């Protein structure tokens, strides 16, 4: 998105909230998008700001009409005034009680209005408990106090029967009682024994639980991945010895994994362990082993692909030479085996043997997938169908990125039944393919500083991506011959303009748009399989994190 709008307007707050949720709780965004699919919602706020909210695949997209330029007509329009905005978090009351006369103006077909209402109720119920969302709204209320009334003195104690929020608008809500409460000002009796008082979800400083709790748990994905990545990094560090030769081996083995990625694999491993009732700490060594294997693969992969950059820095062989890089990759794989075996002391023989079996299976799949891709490049072959890419991608990256971390984490949690472990396979196969297609797209159109690799590196390396396969299927023979001639050249003989020529052809033939739609379709199918196949796992915090990662693929910005 372009320059951020100051957080002093309702439209700016909406944008910031959607962006925050897309990063931290993608499952919530996807659920809301499911309710609003196909609806364009126009929103007007008390301060005169406006926004248009729509759904693209499973993402919520906020647009701001430019000054003097009208956006396409929305299907539903909602306009808030000060009182309506005050009631936004007050879900103790019935919707009819919230929509005050002359305060909340809603226009549109009945079914679409109800769909929008369901989407926003879901967002409020499941998103308002996130600390980052609370901070956004607190910042907005501090920066734009007009709708909330004057803020009371922080040091002035509230009077009798007064609210403790300090905001006039919110104090009004806190003093209200449900219309059907017996005895006027008396609290409502539930079942004759439990006393409840009307309250806000958020009192301006902190959140409180819902009187009707949603059965779906949510998790802050950004915070969770950061914690899992940090804990796994500490464990990895512990496995690298401080001994000679340091400069030529152990320092490299220590520094390369320090270029940490998002923390996807450690989070999946630890979350799967917790989902089956295991202690998160029981999965840390296995997560460290996965990351050590992964980094060893990357060092060797970069050499095979002649890559120049990884995670924003020069690849190991570019900086230290091929010989030292190959040896460092071998050493990282050796340390990964050591990390797996270290679980004997904490998890016992049976689970450690199961971990060894899973690790061997993962490595075998990875080398087979790498062989498939290198074979296509060596033989100058571009597969005719997407299924060939699906098989290669699942083997090369899907197993060690998505499927194996889940299975290994479940083993750490005590699961060794092959049938139960297999419940992860299809859901995360589909999610893994979608994730890899998106990574391939980002290499073509993403920002280098965010993606961490050289721009168009996949085209220079001759990677057989979905976009390339689609291009070769759709373009005319004369153009195909030209593209084939470029692909046949070794990496050292390709120039940036060659990669840009292929990219231009992909854009003209709709190959990138095709890949975006394909990734979205695969991700949606994976989400469906996740809910079906993993219904055996009870709703808990570990499963909540797994669900957020699954939905992360559907809400990821491209």
């Amino acid at each position: 998105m372009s320059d951020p709008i100051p957080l002093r307007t309702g439209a700016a707050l909406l944008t910031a909230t959607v962006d925050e949720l897309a990063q931290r709780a993608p499952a919530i965004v996807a659920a809301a998008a499911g309710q609003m699919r196909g609806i364009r919602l126009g929103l007007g706020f008390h301060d005169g700001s406006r926004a248009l909210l729509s759904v693209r695949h499973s993402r919520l997209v906020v647009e701001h009409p430019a000054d003097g330029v009208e956006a396409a007509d929305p299907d539903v329009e909602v306009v808030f005034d000060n009182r309506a905005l005050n009631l936004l978090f007050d879900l103790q009351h019935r919707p009819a009680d919230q929509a005050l006369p002359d305060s909340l103006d809603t226009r549109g077909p009945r079914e679409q209005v109800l769909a929008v209402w369901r989407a926003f109720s879901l967002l409020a119920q499941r998103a308002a408990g996130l600390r980052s969302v609370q901070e956004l709204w607190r910042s907005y209320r501090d920066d734009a106090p007009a709708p909330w009334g004057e803020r009371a003195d922080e040091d002035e104690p509230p009077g009798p029967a007064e609210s403790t929020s300090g905001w006039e608008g919110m104090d009004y809500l806190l003093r209200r009682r449900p219309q059907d409460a017996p005895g006027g000002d008396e609290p409502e009796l539930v079942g004759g024994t439990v006393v409840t008082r009307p309250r806000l979800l958020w009192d301006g400083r902190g959140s409180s639980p819902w009187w009707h709790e949603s059965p779906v748990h949510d998790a802050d994905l950004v915070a969770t991945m950061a914690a899992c990545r940090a804990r796994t990094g500490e464990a990895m560090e512990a496995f690298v010895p401080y001994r000679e030769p340091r400069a030529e081996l152990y320092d490299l083995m220590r520094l390369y994994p320090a270029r940490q990625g998002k923390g996807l694999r450690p989070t999946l491993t630890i979350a799967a362990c917790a989902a089956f009732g295991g202690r998160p700490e029981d999965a840390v060594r296995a997560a460290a082993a996965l990351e050590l294997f992964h980094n060893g693969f990357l060092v060797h992969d970069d050499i095979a692909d002649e890559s120049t950059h990884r995670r924003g820095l020069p690849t190991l062989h570019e900086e230290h030479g091929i010989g030292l890089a190959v040896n460092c990759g071998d050493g990282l794989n050796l340390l990964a085996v050591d990390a797996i075996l270290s679980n004997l002391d904490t998890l016992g023989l049976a689970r450690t043997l199961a971990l060894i079996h899973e690790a061997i299976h993962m490595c075998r799949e990875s080398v087979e997938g790498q062989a498939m891709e290198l074979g296509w490049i060596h033989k100058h072959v571009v597969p005719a169908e997407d299924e060939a890419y699906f098989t290669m991608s699942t083997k090369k990256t899907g197993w060690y990125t998505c499927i194996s971390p889940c299975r290994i984490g479940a083993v750490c949690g005590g699961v060794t039944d092959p049938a139960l472990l297999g419940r992860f396979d299809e859901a995360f196969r589909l999610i893994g393919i979608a994730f890899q297609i998106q990574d391939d797209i980002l290499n073509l159109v993403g920002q280098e500083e965010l993606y961490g690799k050289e721009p168009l590196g996949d085209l220079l390396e001759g990677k057989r991506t979905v976009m390339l396969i689609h291009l070769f299927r759709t373009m005319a023979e004369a153009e195909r011959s030209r593209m084939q001639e470029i692909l046949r050249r070794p990496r050292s003989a390709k120039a940036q303009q060659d990669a840009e020529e292929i990219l231009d052809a992909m854009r003209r033939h709709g190959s990138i748009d095709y890949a975006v739609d394909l990734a979205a379709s695969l991700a949606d199918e994976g989400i469906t399989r996740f809910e079906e196949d993993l219904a055996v796992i009870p709703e808990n915090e570990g499963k909540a994190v797994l669900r957020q990662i699954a939905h992360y693929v559907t809400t990821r910005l491209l």
Side-chain angles (χ1 to χ4, degrees), residues 392-403:
M392 181 277 296
S393 173
T394 299
K395 283 180 169 293
K396 181 182 176 182
T397 60
W399 273 92
Y400 82 71
T401 297
C402 294
I403 303 173

Side-chain angles (χ1 to χ4, degrees), residues 59-70:
R59 299 188 287 274
L60 294 177
V61 179
V62 183
E63 300 172 82
H64 300 276
D67 292 338
V69 178
E70 290 294 327

